[in-house]
Amino acid sequence: MSSEHKPLSRTVEVFTGAYASGKSESAINRALQYTKCGKDITLVDLDTVEPAYCLRPIVETLKKQGIDIIAQTDYFGLGEAGSYVTAEQINCLSKNGDMVIDVGYGASGLDILDILNGIENENDLRIYLVVNTSKFETRDKASILEYIDFSSGLNKQPWKKFTGFISNTHLSDETTKEDIIRGYNKLKEVSDETGIPIIAIGADEKFIPQFPEYKYNDVDIWFYKRHMPKALW
């Protein structure tokens, strides 16, 4: 695709992270933020580790809230035993409007993006790593730095780099405000060292009274309505 045909007026945001980091919840809620702003948004489930595992049960619910969904609904897979993607997934970037892409965890990391036709031509591509410091894989600065390298994949490309972090430390229903702040502080060390900014802090909507300004340390807090408990896990 020549430069004059590159998309000029849309944003494509990719969310990835370790298992149970909250990447799918982050992607869903981000898509809902777009719809509330009156934008056309497509949410793409590109999880090839556990195909059709997460979004399948809530596709219709999300569509009713104004999100266009591209997801694998015909096949079912668990673990990295094998994967299947559709032509609609591969060609998702041919659709107009803004896009949020939920990428599964796994050994290939961001290399899965290579299957998307035209992704290298996107002018406003933002790739976010969702980090939950309560998870072993991203428990401290050293492990987060290691995970950044791991999840970047093997096929290095100029466009394939992390634009920002989403700090999403949580312990499910046992999460406290202190947990959220502790996770942010750990990730801030990594941000300062790598130069990758923390774009937002993810938190359950029940924490709104504890962060009434919707910010912490000048970083926006994205308050999440939880959808994933309605999924298959």
Coordinates of all heavy atoms in Angstrom, one line a residue, residues 79-159:
G79 N -5.5 -23.2 25.4 CA -4.0 -23.3 25.4 C -3.5 -23.1 24.1 O -4.1 -22.8 23.1
E80 N -2.2 -23.3 24.0 CA -1.5 -23.0 22.7 C -1.3 -24.3 21.9 O -0.3 -24.6 21.3 CB -0.1 -22.5 23.0 CG -0.2 -21.1 23.7 CD 1.2 -20.5 23.9 OE1 1.7 -19.9 22.9 OE2 1.7 -20.5 25.0
A81 N -2.4 -25.1 21.8 CA -2.4 -26.4 21.1 C -2.7 -26.2 19.6 O -2.4 -27.0 18.8 CB -3.5 -27.3 21.7
G82 N -3.1 -25.1 19.2 CA -3.4 -24.8 17.8 C -4.4 -23.7 17.7 O -5.1 -23.4 18.7
S83 N -4.4 -23.0 16.6 CA -5.2 -21.8 16.5 C -5.7 -21.7 15.1 O -5.2 -22.3 14.1 CB -4.4 -20.5 16.9 OG -3.3 -20.4 16.0
Y84 N -6.8 -20.9 15.0 CA -7.4 -20.7 13.7 C -7.9 -19.2 13.6 O -8.4 -18.7 14.6 CB -8.6 -21.6 13.6 CG -9.4 -21.5 12.3 CD1 -9.1 -22.2 11.2 CD2 -10.5 -20.6 12.3 CE1 -9.8 -22.1 10.0 CE2 -11.2 -20.5 11.1 CZ -10.9 -21.2 10.0 OH -11.6 -21.1 8.8
V85 N -7.6 -18.6 12.5 CA -8.1 -17.2 12.4 C -8.9 -17.1 11.1 O -8.7 -17.9 10.1 CB -6.9 -16.2 12.3 CG1 -6.3 -16.1 13.7 CG2 -5.9 -16.5 11.3
T86 N -9.8 -16.2 11.0 CA -10.7 -16.1 9.9 C -10.2 -14.9 9.0 O -9.3 -14.1 9.3 CB -12.1 -15.7 10.3 OG1 -12.1 -14.4 10.9 CG2 -12.6 -16.8 11.3
A87 N -10.7 -14.9 7.7 CA -10.4 -13.9 6.8 C -10.8 -12.5 7.3 O -10.2 -11.5 7.1 CB -11.0 -14.2 5.4
E88 N -11.9 -12.5 8.1 CA -12.4 -11.3 8.7 C -11.4 -10.7 9.7 O -11.2 -9.5 9.7 CB -13.8 -11.5 9.3 CG -14.4 -10.2 9.8 CD -15.8 -10.4 10.4 OE1 -16.0 -11.5 11.0 OE2 -16.6 -9.4 10.4
Q89 N -10.8 -11.6 10.5 CA -9.8 -11.1 11.4 C -8.6 -10.6 10.7 O -8.0 -9.6 11.0 CB -9.4 -12.3 12.4 CG -10.5 -12.7 13.4 CD -10.2 -13.9 14.1 OE1 -10.0 -15.0 13.5 NE2 -10.0 -13.8 15.4
I90 N -8.1 -11.4 9.7 CA -6.9 -11.0 9.0 C -7.1 -9.7 8.3 O -6.1 -8.9 8.2 CB -6.5 -12.1 8.0 CG1 -6.1 -13.4 8.7 CG2 -5.4 -11.7 7.0 CD1 -6.0 -14.6 7.8
N91 N -8.3 -9.4 7.8 CA -8.5 -8.2 7.0 C -9.3 -7.1 7.8 O -9.9 -6.3 7.2 CB -9.3 -8.6 5.7 CG -8.5 -9.4 4.8 OD1 -7.4 -9.1 4.4 ND2 -9.0 -10.6 4.5
C92 N -9.2 -7.2 9.1 CA -10.0 -6.3 9.9 C -9.7 -4.9 9.7 O -10.5 -4.0 9.8 CB -9.8 -6.7 11.4 SG -8.2 -6.4 12.1
L93 N -8.4 -4.6 9.3 CA -8.0 -3.2 9.1 C -8.6 -2.6 7.9 O -8.5 -1.4 7.7 CB -6.5 -3.1 9.1 CG -5.8 -3.4 10.4 CD1 -4.3 -3.5 10.3 CD2 -6.2 -2.4 11.5
S94 N -9.3 -3.3 7.1 CA -10.0 -2.8 5.9 C -11.2 -2.0 6.3 O -11.8 -1.3 5.5 CB -10.3 -3.9 4.9 OG -11.2 -4.8 5.4
K95 N -11.7 -2.3 7.5 CA -12.9 -1.6 8.0 C -12.6 -0.1 8.3 O -11.4 0.2 8.7 CB -13.5 -2.2 9.2 CG -14.1 -3.6 9.0 CD -14.6 -4.2 10.3 CE -15.7 -3.4 10.9 NZ -16.9 -3.4 10.0
N96 N -13.6 0.7 8.2 CA -13.4 2.1 8.5 C -13.6 2.3 10.0 O -14.1 1.5 10.7 CB -14.4 3.0 7.8 CG -14.1 3.0 6.3 OD1 -13.0 3.0 5.8 ND2 -15.2 3.1 5.5
G97 N -13.1 3.5 10.5 CA -13.3 3.8 11.9 C -12.2 3.3 12.8 O -11.3 2.6 12.4
D98 N -12.3 3.8 14.1 CA -11.3 3.4 15.1 C -11.4 1.9 15.4 O -12.4 1.3 15.3 CB -11.4 4.3 16.3 CG -11.2 5.8 16.0 OD1 -10.1 6.1 15.5 OD2 -12.2 6.6 16.2
M99 N -10.3 1.4 16.0 CA -10.2 0.0 16.2 C -9.5 -0.3 17.5 O -8.4 0.3 17.8 CB -9.6 -0.7 15.0 CG -9.7 -2.2 15.0 SD -9.4 -2.9 13.3 CE -10.7 -2.2 12.4
V100 N -10.0 -1.3 18.3 CA -9.3 -1.8 19.4 C -9.1 -3.3 19.2 O -10.0 -4.0 18.9 CB -10.1 -1.6 20.7 CG1 -9.5 -2.3 21.9 CG2 -10.2 -0.1 21.0
I101 N -7.8 -3.8 19.4 CA -7.5 -5.2 19.1 C -7.0 -5.8 20.4 O -6.0 -5.3 21.0 CB -6.4 -5.2 18.0 CG1 -6.9 -4.6 16.7 CG2 -6.0 -6.7 17.7 CD1 -5.8 -4.5 15.6
D102 N -7.6 -6.9 20.7 CA -7.2 -7.7 21.9 C -6.4 -8.8 21.5 O -6.8 -9.8 20.9 CB -8.5 -8.1 22.6 CG -8.3 -9.0 23.9 OD1 -7.1 -9.0 24.3 OD2 -9.2 -9.6 24.4
V103 N -5.1 -8.8 21.9 CA -4.1 -9.8 21.5 C -3.9 -10.8 22.7 O -3.6 -10.3 23.8 CB -2.8 -9.2 21.1 CG1 -1.7 -10.3 20.8 CG2 -3.0 -8.4 19.8
G104 N -3.9 -12.1 22.4 CA -3.7 -13.0 23.5 C -2.2 -13.1 24.0 O -1.3 -12.6 23.2
Y105 N -2.0 -13.6 25.2 CA -0.7 -13.8 25.6 C -0.1 -15.0 24.9 O -0.8 -15.7 24.2 CB -0.7 -14.1 27.1 CG -1.3 -15.4 27.5 CD1 -0.6 -16.5 27.7 CD2 -2.7 -15.5 27.7 CE1 -1.2 -17.7 28.0 CE2 -3.3 -16.7 28.0 CZ -2.5 -17.8 28.1 OH -3.1 -19.0 28.4
G106 N 1.2 -15.2 25.1 CA 1.8 -16.4 24.5 C 3.1 -16.2 23.9 O 3.7 -15.1 23.8
A107 N 3.7 -17.3 23.4 CA 5.1 -17.2 23.0 C 5.4 -16.3 21.8 O 6.4 -15.8 21.6 CB 5.6 -18.7 22.7
S108 N 4.4 -16.2 20.9 CA 4.6 -15.4 19.7 C 4.5 -13.9 20.0 O 5.0 -13.1 19.2 CB 3.5 -15.7 18.6 OG 2.2 -15.4 19.1
G109 N 3.9 -13.5 21.1 CA 3.8 -12.1 21.4 C 3.2 -11.3 20.3 O 2.2 -11.6 19.8
L110 N 3.8 -10.1 20.1 CA 3.3 -9.2 19.1 C 3.4 -9.7 17.6 O 2.9 -9.1 16.7 CB 3.9 -7.8 19.2 CG 3.6 -7.1 20.5 CD1 4.4 -5.7 20.5 CD2 2.2 -6.9 20.7
D111 N 4.1 -10.9 17.4 CA 4.2 -11.4 16.1 C 2.9 -11.7 15.5 O 2.8 -11.8 14.2 CB 5.1 -12.6 16.1 CG 6.6 -12.3 16.3 OD1 6.9 -11.1 16.2 OD2 7.4 -13.2 16.6
I112 N 1.9 -12.0 16.3 CA 0.6 -12.3 15.7 C 0.0 -11.1 14.9 O -0.8 -11.3 14.0 CB -0.5 -12.6 16.9 CG1 -1.8 -13.1 16.3 CG2 -0.7 -11.4 17.8 CD1 -1.7 -14.3 15.5
L113 N 0.5 -9.9 15.2 CA 0.0 -8.7 14.4 C 0.5 -8.8 12.9 O -0.1 -8.2 12.1 CB 0.6 -7.5 15.0 CG 0.1 -7.2 16.5 CD1 0.7 -5.9 17.0 CD2 -1.4 -7.0 16.5
D114 N 1.5 -9.6 12.7 CA 2.0 -9.8 11.3 C 0.9 -10.3 10.3 O 1.0 -10.1 9.1 CB 3.2 -10.7 11.2 CG 4.4 -10.1 11.9 OD1 4.4 -8.8 12.1 OD2 5.3 -10.8 12.3
I115 N -0.1 -11.0 10.9 CA -1.1 -11.6 10.0 C -2.1 -10.5 9.5 O -2.9 -10.8 8.6 CB -1.8 -12.7 10.6 CG1 -2.8 -12.2 11.7 CG2 -0.9 -13.8 11.1 CD1 -3.7 -13.3 12.2
L116 N -2.1 -9.3 10.1 CA -3.1 -8.3 9.8 C -2.7 -7.5 8.6 O -1.7 -6.8 8.6 CB -3.3 -7.4 11.0 CG -3.8 -8.0 12.3 CD1 -4.0 -7.0 13.4 CD2 -5.0 -8.9 12.1
N117 N -3.4 -7.7 7.5 CA -3.1 -7.0 6.3 C -3.1 -5.4 6.5 O -4.1 -4.9 6.9 CB -4.0 -7.4 5.2 CG -3.8 -8.8 4.7 OD1 -2.7 -9.3 4.7 ND2 -4.9 -9.4 4.3
G118 N -2.0 -4.8 6.2 CA -1.9 -3.3 6.2 C -1.5 -2.7 7.5 O -1.5 -1.5 7.6
I119 N -1.2 -3.5 8.5 CA -1.0 -2.9 9.8 C 0.3 -2.0 9.8 O 0.3 -1.0 10.5 CB -0.9 -3.9 11.0 CG1 -0.9 -3.2 12.3 CG2 0.4 -4.8 10.8 CD1 -1.1 -4.2 13.5
E120 N 1.2 -2.3 9.0 CA 2.5 -1.5 8.9 C 2.2 -0.1 8.3 O 3.0 0.8 8.4 CB 3.5 -2.2 8.1 CG 3.3 -2.3 6.7 CD 2.3 -3.5 6.3 OE1 1.8 -4.2 7.2 OE2 2.1 -3.6 5.1
N121 N 1.0 0.1 7.7 CA 0.7 1.3 7.1 C -0.2 2.3 8.0 O -0.5 3.3 7.5 CB 0.0 1.1 5.8 CG 0.9 0.4 4.8 OD1 2.0 0.7 4.6 ND2 0.3 -0.7 4.1
E122 N -0.5 1.8 9.1 CA -1.4 2.6 10.0 C -0.6 3.8 10.6 O 0.5 3.6 11.2 CB -1.9 1.8 11.2 CG -2.9 0.7 10.8 CD -4.2 1.4 10.3 OE1 -4.6 2.5 10.7 OE2 -5.0 0.7 9.5
N123 N -1.1 5.0 10.4 CA -0.4 6.2 10.9 C -0.5 6.4 12.4 O 0.4 7.0 13.0 CB -1.0 7.4 10.2 CG -0.5 7.5 8.7 OD1 0.6 7.1 8.4 ND2 -1.4 8.1 7.9
D124 N -1.6 5.9 13.0 CA -1.8 6.1 14.4 C -2.0 4.7 15.1 O -3.1 4.4 15.5 CB -2.9 7.1 14.7 CG -3.0 7.5 16.2 OD1 -2.1 7.1 16.9 OD2 -3.9 8.2 16.5
L125 N -0.9 4.0 15.2 CA -1.0 2.6 15.8 C -0.4 2.7 17.2 O 0.8 3.2 17.4 CB -0.2 1.6 15.0 CG 0.0 0.2 15.6 CD1 -1.3 -0.5 15.6 CD2 1.0 -0.6 14.7
R126 N -1.2 2.3 18.2 CA -0.7 2.4 19.6 C -0.8 1.0 20.2 O -1.9 0.4 20.2 CB -1.6 3.4 20.4 CG -1.8 4.7 19.7 CD -2.7 5.6 20.4 NE -3.0 6.8 19.7 CZ -3.9 7.8 20.1 NH1 -4.5 7.7 21.3 NH2 -4.1 8.9 19.4
I127 N 0.3 0.5 20.7 CA 0.4 -0.8 21.3 C 0.7 -0.7 22.8 O 1.7 -0.1 23.2 CB 1.5 -1.6 20.6 CG1 1.3 -1.7 19.1 CG2 1.6 -3.0 21.2 CD1 2.4 -2.4 18.3
Y128 N -0.3 -1.2 23.5 CA -0.2 -1.0 25.0 C 0.0 -2.4 25.7 O -0.6 -3.4 25.3 CB -1.5 -0.5 25.5 CG -1.9 0.9 25.0 CD1 -3.2 1.2 24.7 CD2 -0.9 1.9 24.8 CE1 -3.6 2.5 24.2 CE2 -1.3 3.1 24.3 CZ -2.6 3.4 24.0 OH -2.9 4.7 23.5
L129 N 0.9 -2.4 26.6 CA 1.2 -3.6 27.5 C 0.4 -3.4 28.8 O 0.7 -2.4 29.5 CB 2.7 -3.8 27.7 CG 3.0 -5.0 28.6 CD1 2.6 -6.3 27.8 CD2 4.5 -5.0 28.9
V130 N -0.5 -4.2 29.1 CA -1.3 -4.2 30.3 C -0.5 -5.0 31.4 O -0.2 -6.1 31.2 CB -2.7 -4.7 30.1 CG1 -3.5 -4.7 31.4 CG2 -3.4 -4.0 29.0
V131 N -0.2 -4.3 32.5 CA 0.7 -4.9 33.5 C -0.1 -5.0 34.8 O -0.5 -4.0 35.4 CB 1.9 -4.1 33.7 CG1 2.8 -4.7 34.8 CG2 2.7 -4.0 32.4
N132 N -0.2 -6.3 35.3 CA -0.7 -6.5 36.7 C 0.4 -7.1 37.5 O 0.9 -8.2 37.4 CB -1.8 -7.6 36.5 CG -2.4 -8.0 37.9 OD1 -2.0 -7.5 38.9 ND2 -3.4 -8.9 37.8
T133 N 0.9 -6.2 38.4 CA 2.1 -6.6 39.2 C 1.8 -7.7 40.3 O 2.7 -8.1 41.0 CB 2.8 -5.4 39.9 OG1 1.9 -4.8 40.8 CG2 3.2 -4.4 38.8
S134 N 0.5 -8.1 40.4 CA 0.2 -9.2 41.3 C 0.5 -10.5 40.6 O 0.4 -11.6 41.3 CB -1.2 -9.1 41.8 OG -2.1 -9.4 40.8
K135 N 0.7 -10.5 39.3 CA 1.0 -11.7 38.6 C 2.5 -12.0 38.6 O 3.4 -11.1 38.5 CB 0.6 -11.6 37.1 CG -0.9 -11.3 36.9 CD -1.7 -12.4 37.6 CE -1.5 -13.8 36.8 NZ -2.3 -14.8 37.4
F136 N 2.9 -13.3 38.7 CA 4.3 -13.7 38.9 C 5.1 -13.2 37.7 O 6.3 -12.7 37.9 CB 4.4 -15.2 39.0 CG 5.8 -15.7 39.0 CD1 6.5 -15.7 40.3 CD2 6.5 -16.2 37.9 CE1 7.8 -16.1 40.3 CE2 7.8 -16.6 38.0 CZ 8.5 -16.6 39.2
E137 N 4.6 -13.2 36.5 CA 5.3 -12.8 35.3 C 5.8 -11.4 35.3 O 6.7 -11.0 34.6 CB 4.6 -13.1 34.0 CG 4.2 -14.6 33.8 CD 2.8 -14.9 34.4 OE1 2.4 -14.3 35.4 OE2 2.1 -15.8 33.8
T138 N 5.0 -10.5 36.0 CA 5.3 -9.1 36.0 C 5.3 -8.6 37.4 O 4.7 -7.5 37.7 CB 4.3 -8.4 35.1 OG1 2.9 -8.8 35.5 CG2 4.5 -8.7 33.7
R139 N 5.9 -9.3 38.3 CA 5.9 -9.0 39.8 C 6.7 -7.8 40.2 O 6.5 -7.2 41.3 CB 6.2 -10.2 40.6 CG 7.6 -10.7 40.4 CD 7.8 -12.1 40.9 NE 9.2 -12.6 40.7 CZ 9.7 -13.1 39.6 NH1 8.9 -13.1 38.5 NH2 10.9 -13.5 39.5
D140 N 7.8 -7.5 39.5 CA 8.7 -6.5 39.8 C 9.4 -5.9 38.6 O 9.1 -6.3 37.5 CB 9.8 -7.0 40.8 CG 10.5 -8.2 40.3 OD1 10.6 -8.4 39.1 OD2 11.0 -9.0 41.2
K141 N 10.3 -4.9 38.8 CA 10.9 -4.3 37.7 C 11.7 -5.2 36.8 O 11.5 -5.2 35.5 CB 11.9 -3.2 38.1 CG 12.4 -2.4 36.9 CD 13.2 -1.2 37.4 CE 14.6 -1.6 37.8 NZ 15.5 -0.4 38.0
A142 N 12.4 -6.1 37.3 CA 13.2 -7.1 36.5 C 12.3 -8.0 35.7 O 12.6 -8.2 34.5 CB 14.1 -7.9 37.4
S143 N 11.3 -8.5 36.3 CA 10.4 -9.4 35.5 C 9.6 -8.6 34.5 O 9.3 -9.2 33.4 CB 9.4 -10.1 36.5 OG 8.6 -9.2 37.2
I144 N 9.2 -7.4 34.8 CA 8.5 -6.6 33.8 C 9.4 -6.3 32.6 O 8.9 -6.5 31.4 CB 7.9 -5.3 34.4 CG1 6.9 -5.6 35.5 CG2 7.3 -4.4 33.3 CD1 6.5 -4.3 36.3
L145 N 10.6 -6.0 32.8 CA 11.5 -5.7 31.7 C 11.7 -7.0 30.9 O 11.8 -6.9 29.6 CB 12.9 -5.2 32.3 CG 12.9 -3.8 32.8 CD1 14.2 -3.6 33.6 CD2 12.7 -2.8 31.7
E146 N 11.8 -8.1 31.6 CA 12.0 -9.4 30.8 C 10.7 -9.7 30.0 O 10.8 -10.2 28.9 CB 12.2 -10.5 31.8 CG 12.4 -11.9 31.2 CD 12.7 -13.0 32.2 OE1 12.9 -12.6 33.4 OE2 12.8 -14.1 31.8
Y147 N 9.5 -9.4 30.6 CA 8.3 -9.7 29.9 C 8.1 -8.7 28.7 O 7.6 -9.2 27.6 CB 7.1 -9.5 30.8 CG 5.9 -10.2 30.2 CD1 5.6 -11.5 30.3 CD2 4.9 -9.4 29.5 CE1 4.5 -12.1 29.7 CE2 3.8 -10.0 28.9 CZ 3.6 -11.4 29.0 OH 2.6 -12.0 28.4
I148 N 8.6 -7.5 28.8 CA 8.5 -6.6 27.6 C 9.3 -7.2 26.4 O 8.8 -7.3 25.3 CB 9.1 -5.2 28.0 CG1 8.3 -4.5 28.9 CG2 9.4 -4.4 26.7 CD1 8.9 -3.2 29.5
D149 N 10.5 -7.8 26.7 CA 11.3 -8.4 25.6 C 10.6 -9.6 25.1 O 10.5 -9.8 23.9 CB 12.7 -8.7 26.1 CG 13.5 -9.3 25.1 OD1 13.8 -8.6 24.1 OD2 13.9 -10.5 25.2
F150 N 10.0 -10.5 26.0 CA 9.4 -11.7 25.6 C 8.2 -11.4 24.8 O 8.0 -12.0 23.7 CB 9.0 -12.5 26.9 CG 8.0 -13.6 26.7 CD1 8.4 -14.8 26.1 CD2 6.7 -13.4 27.0 CE1 7.5 -15.8 25.9 CE2 5.8 -14.5 26.8 CZ 6.2 -15.7 26.2
S151 N 7.3 -10.5 25.2 CA 6.1 -10.3 24.5 C 6.2 -9.4 23.2 O 5.3 -9.3 22.5 CB 5.1 -9.6 25.4 OG 5.5 -8.4 25.9
S152 N 7.4 -8.9 23.0 CA 7.7 -8.1 21.8 C 7.7 -9.0 20.6 O 7.6 -8.6 19.4 CB 8.9 -7.3 21.9 OG 8.8 -6.3 22.9
G153 N 7.9 -10.3 20.8 CA 8.0 -11.3 19.7 C 9.4 -11.3 19.1 O 10.4 -10.6 19.5
L154 N 9.5 -12.1 18.1 CA 10.8 -12.4 17.4 C 11.0 -11.5 16.2 O 12.2 -11.2 15.8 CB 11.0 -13.8 17.1 CG 11.0 -14.8 18.3 CD1 11.0 -16.2 17.8 CD2 12.1 -14.5 19.2
N155 N 9.9 -11.2 15.5 CA 10.0 -10.5 14.2 C 10.0 -9.0 14.5 O 8.9 -8.4 14.5 CB 8.9 -10.9 13.3 CG 8.9 -10.3 11.9 OD1 10.0 -9.8 11.5 ND2 7.8 -10.3 11.2
K156 N 11.2 -8.5 14.7 CA 11.2 -7.0 15.1 C 11.0 -6.2 13.8 O 11.6 -6.4 12.8 CB 12.6 -6.7 15.7 CG 13.1 -7.6 16.8 CD 12.1 -7.6 18.0 CE 12.6 -8.5 19.1 NZ 11.7 -8.6 20.2
Q157 N 10.1 -5.2 14.0 CA 9.8 -4.3 13.0 C 9.7 -2.9 13.6 O 9.4 -2.7 14.8 CB 8.4 -4.6 12.3 CG 8.4 -6.0 11.6 CD 9.2 -6.0 10.4 OE1 9.5 -5.0 9.8 NE2 9.6 -7.2 10.0
P158 N 10.0 -1.8 12.8 CA 10.0 -0.5 13.4 C 8.6 -0.1 14.0 O 8.5 0.6 15.0 CB 10.3 0.4 12.2 CG 11.0 -0.4 11.3 CD 10.5 -1.8 11.4
W159 N 7.5 -0.6 13.4 CA 6.2 -0.2 13.9 C 5.8 -1.1 15.1 O 4.8 -0.8 15.8 CB 5.1 -0.4 12.8 CG 5.1 -1.8 12.2 CD1 5.8 -2.2 11.1 CD2 4.4 -2.9 12.7 NE1 5.5 -3.5 10.8 CE2 4.6 -4.0 11.8 CE3 3.5 -3.1 13.7 CZ2 4.1 -5.3 11.9 CZ3 2.9 -4.4 13.9 CH2 3.2 -5.4 13.0

